[in-house]
Amino acid sequence: MANIGSNLNKAKSIIQSGGLVAIPTETVYGLGADALNPDAVASVFSTKNRPTFDPLITHISSIGQVDSYTLRWSNKAWALAKKFWPGPLTLLLPKSNSIPDLVTSGMEKVAVRIPKSELTLKLLNLLKSPLVAPSANPFGYVSPTNPKHVEDQLGNKIPYILDGGECEIGIESTIVGFDSEDNATVYRLGGLSVDDIKNEIGDVQITAHSTSNPQAPGMLKSHYSPKVKIKLGNIYAGLDKIKEIDQVGIISFMQPVQKVPPNHQVVLAPDGSLKTAAKNLFSALRYMDTINISTLLIEEVPDYGLGEAINDRLRRAAVK
Ligand code: TXA
Ligand code: MG
């Protein structure tokens, strides 16, 4: 099994010898490897069972490093980076030759971000290379938000998990790209809300909605998916159709449901806060895979701010 700890020198030496270390970020845990070592990058894909057409995000520790791995900034990208890094924002920028083609699946743009995690920023500063880090889960499953989640699924495949505790945000970064005229497009809704982005750079296009014919693989219709069958919608209407009430799990926004046993329910945000809901979302989905139920009823959360990214995850989780 993987060791879990906060030994940065150990993490550094594993990465430098081409190995994988799970790293904490404010969004979700990542499966980290040396971004400039194609063999290490290849083992990230194989360890996650991830198709090599689905590119990886490159993590750096300072804004100045962007120039080493990309050809140029866009004005809007610069404005967003200055405002929101370190933070849950990933920028798509034209890649330089220093980034191996495998990292971007042969695409011309590289996804970069500075994560907000003290331990991971320290590790990045110790290393000479940036780190690729997809979410540290098997391809298609729910992303991990604590070290135990990583251990449960990848513990027998990786040597070390850097322990930064629970992720502060709990859903993945928002991905933004720019065309040649510097028009911005959101390709994945995430931990930074679209409103926050608009306040900084004006209007943005959103092409992040569920699709079976994605422009970016992160737009895949089915993703973040637990094993149990999910019905998304009105949980009371859903309950009316179910005969065996002890076979049902419920994920609700603010209120539990009377008829269903408490240990079959997770209330995402008793305080009504979308931040709380985002933080609890992936743990809730994982929990439902550990109890004995045949159907999981989930209600959507209010569809604004972080709620848009949460509902996006729920819709994809519900597609099998
Ligand atoms: O919050 C996050 O972004 C986390 C933490 C660990 O940083 N990482 C993460 O990585 O969510 P991953 O691999 O699970 O999701 C990255 C998404 C994928 O859907 C991928 O298709 C997209 O980013 N992506 C990466 N590079 C891209 C590129 N060059 N062009 C278009 N999409 C890209
Ligand atoms: Mg992922």
Side-chain angles (χ1 to χ4, degrees):
M1 288 308 268
N3 286 309
I4 301 179
S6 52
N7 185 335
L8 287 169
N9 284 324
K10 180 168 171 163
K12 174 186 169 193
S13 78
I14 295 170
I15 297 282
Q16 286 184 332
S17 60
L20 309 185
V21 173
I23 54 165
T25 83
E26 79 286 28
T27 57
V28 300
Y29 273 72
L31 185 59
D34 181 345
L36 307 184
N37 176 344
D39 291 335
V41 175
S43 66
V44 169
F45 284 99
S46 59
T47 302
K48 263 186 73 102
N49 246 329
R50 174 172 173 132
T52 49
F53 61 71
D54 191 356
L56 306 176
I57 297 174
T58 297
H59 296 69
I60 55 176
S61 59
S62 77
I63 241 178
Q65 291 165 353
V66 171
D67 290 332
S68 312
Y69 307 115
T70 72
L71 296 179
R72 61 188 167 273
W73 278 101
S74 87
N75 289 337
K76 286 182 181 168
W78 176 251
L80 291 175
K82 290 282 279 184
K83 175 80 182 179
F84 297 114
W85 278 354
L89 166 73
T90 294
L91 298 173
L92 296 175
L93 294 171
K95 97 177 194 50
S96 74
N97 284 336
S98 56
I99 294 288
D101 288 331
L102 188 56
V103 170
T104 63
S105 304
M107 290 196 266
E108 281 172 17
K109 290 190 175 166
V110 59
V112 282
R113 89 175 188 101
I114 303 182
K116 190 177 166 194
S117 152
E118 210 179 310
L119 265 185
T120 293
L121 288 173
K122 279 187 184 157
L123 174 62
L124 284 164
N125 285 334
L126 286 174
L127 295 164
K128 291 196 180 66
S129 297
L131 288 169
V132 286
S135 53
N137 51 278
F139 183 67
Y141 194 68
V142 183
S143 301
T145 55
N146 64 40
K148 171 87 170 48
H149 290 166
V150 181
E151 189 186 34
D152 286 347
Q153 291 192 303
L154 298 178
N156 58 359
K157 293 186 169 179
I158 61 174
Y160 199 52
I161 301 169
L162 207 49
D163 185 354
E166 289 282 336
C167 298
E168 189 188 320
I169 292 181
I171 51 176
E172 299 83 351
S173 60
T174 305
I175 301 180
V176 188
F178 311 87
D179 67 13
S180 54
E181 275 141 37
D182 210 16
N183 298 304
T185 299
V186 172
Y187 290 99
R188 178 174 71 180
L189 297 167
L192 180 65
S193 75
V194 173
D195 290 341
D196 284 345
I197 292 170
K198 284 183 178 168
N199 279 340
E200 212 47 39
I201 58 167
D203 209 19
V204 295
Q205 213 187 318
I206 303 175
T207 53
H209 298 294
S210 303
T211 167
S212 53
N213 183 20
Q215 289 172 29
M219 299 162 75
L220 281 172
K221 201 165 185 172
S222 170
H223 215 74
Y224 316 106
S225 198
K227 297 185 181 78
V228 62
K229 185 176 74 186
I230 293 178
K231 294 208 168 124
L232 187 62
N234 184 313
I235 40 187
Y236 292 94
L239 271 176
D240 284 344
K241 293 190 194 121
I242 286 173
K243 288 193 198 83
E244 293 178 46
I245 216 78
D246 59 335
Q247 283 294 302
V248 75
I250 305 271
I251 297 179
S252 55
F253 177 48
M254 283 177 71
Q255 301 279 351
V257 168
Q258 293 300 332
K259 287 197 272 183
V260 176
N263 64 347
H264 280 193
Q265 298 197 54
V266 177
V267 178
L268 289 178
D271 63 356
S273 139
L274 289 166
K275 262 191 173 171
T276 310
K279 193 169 174 172
N280 291 330
L281 175 69
F282 288 144
S283 288
L285 289 170
R286 278 171 187 264
Y287 175 70
M288 292 297 164
D289 267 348
T290 68
I291 58 175
N292 187 17
I293 54 172
S294 55
T295 307
L296 172 57
L297 302 176
I298 310 183
E299 68 181 357
E300 292 192 359
V301 303
D303 206 31
Y304 57 82
L306 271 185
E308 289 184 285
I310 296 170
N311 287 333
D312 170 78
R313 304 296 185 279
L314 291 176
R315 286 171 205 141
R316 287 175 219 257
V319 174
K320 283 281 179 279

